[in-house]
Amino acid sequence: MFAVIKTGGKQYKVASGDIISVERLLGEPGSVIDLEEVLMISDGAELKVGKPFLAGAAVSATVIEQTRGEKIIVFKKKRRQNYRRRRGHRQELTVLKITDIYQAGAPRKAKPAVHAKPKAEPHAKPPHKEAAHKEAAHKEAPKAPKKEAAHKHAAKPAAKKDARKPKSGKRKEKK
């Protein structure tokens, strides 16, 4: 028996016992997920096709692990324009093991309750140890008294004039 399911915008042909990698689905390793977007089921003698999905049909799968795919390099270039951009991408994946395929109206096995956790919110980075140490030292050090500003009209020392003439272009030769 096999089924064709849709998840993550892609279609997969699966049978009981298959291990597949799909785009990220929420769930901890060991949890059970029901994939209800079933496009087709075949049990060898009979073929059922949905329009677009089969009502009541489902595929049960166990989450094996959450992982990431291989790195893909995206390179853009426009010739003679000095334009080049290089960017990498790694897709987050969920590895599933297909356990059962349920047809419409077929009895289902009782499954354990699944509590899918939403993606963790990004936390602020902890402050760097050296920066925290410098801040602590800065707070403990006593402040130096402020210097008084010099008077605006105080006499400035005379600037030294350079005895040499500035070089400019070609020199004239004496005859």
Side-chain angles (χ1 to χ4, degrees), residues 118-126:
K119 289 185 179 180
E121 299 206 12
H123 297 288
K125 290 185 180 180

Side-chain angles (χ1 to χ4, degrees), residues 1-7 12-22 25 31-36 38 58-64 94-102 109:
M1 174 181 263
F2 73 89
V4 176
I5 61 169
K6 179 182 174 186
T7 180
Y12 300 91
K13 179 182 173 184
V14 296
S16 186
D18 286 353
I19 295 176
I20 60 172
S21 294
V22 298
L25 298 172
S31 63
V32 178
I33 295 177
D34 276 345
L35 303 167
E36 296 178 351
V38 179
V59 173
S60 180
T62 304
V63 177
I64 296 176
T94 301
V95 180
L96 299 174
K97 181 175 184 180
I98 307 300
T99 54
D100 291 312
I101 298 173
Y102 301 108
K109 296 177 186 175

Side-chain angles (χ1 to χ4, degrees), residues 6-167:
K6 179 182 174 186
T7 180
K10 298 177 182 74
Q11 297 176 6
Y12 300 91
K13 179 182 173 184
V14 296
S16 186
D18 286 353
I19 295 176
I20 60 172
S21 294
V22 298
E23 291 201 18
R24 184 171 173 87
L25 298 172
L26 293 179
E28 297 293 321
S31 63
V32 178
I33 295 177
D34 276 345
L35 303 167
E36 296 178 351
E37 293 185 344
V38 179
L39 301 167
M40 183 178 81
I41 291 180
S42 174
D43 61 358
E46 190 178 350
L47 179 71
K48 294 182 182 177
V49 180
K51 298 179 184 178
F53 304 117
L54 286 170
V59 173
S60 180
T62 304
V63 177
I64 296 176
E65 69 174 327
Q66 301 285 357
T67 185
R68 296 175 76 191
E70 290 184 24
K71 189 169 201 173
I72 296 171
I73 304 297
V74 179
F75 187 76
K76 299 178 183 180
K77 179 181 178 183
K78 293 183 181 176
R79 65 183 192 160
R80 296 187 300 266
Q81 304 300 318
N82 195 24
Y83 174 83
R84 289 184 296 275
R85 302 291 181 265
R86 183 173 183 258
R87 185 164 264 199
H89 174 74
R90 288 186 73 186
Q91 184 66 42
E92 293 191 356
L93 302 172
T94 301
V95 180
L96 299 174
K97 181 175 184 180
I98 307 300
T99 54
D100 291 312
I101 298 173
Y102 301 108
Q103 294 186 19
R108 295 187 185 189
K109 296 177 186 175
K111 64 176 186 175
V114 178
H115 301 290
K117 294 181 181 178
K119 289 185 179 180
E121 299 206 12
H123 297 288
K125 290 185 180 180
H128 197 271
K129 290 180 183 178
E130 292 177 13
H133 180 69
K134 287 179 182 177
E135 287 179 18
H138 181 67
K139 289 178 182 177
E140 294 173 7
K143 293 184 178 179
K146 293 183 179 179
K147 294 181 180 178
E148 291 184 21
H151 194 279
K152 282 184 179 180
H153 302 290
K156 293 183 182 179
K160 295 181 182 177
K161 290 189 176 181
D162 194 5
R164 296 180 292 162
K165 292 183 180 180
K167 294 180 180 177

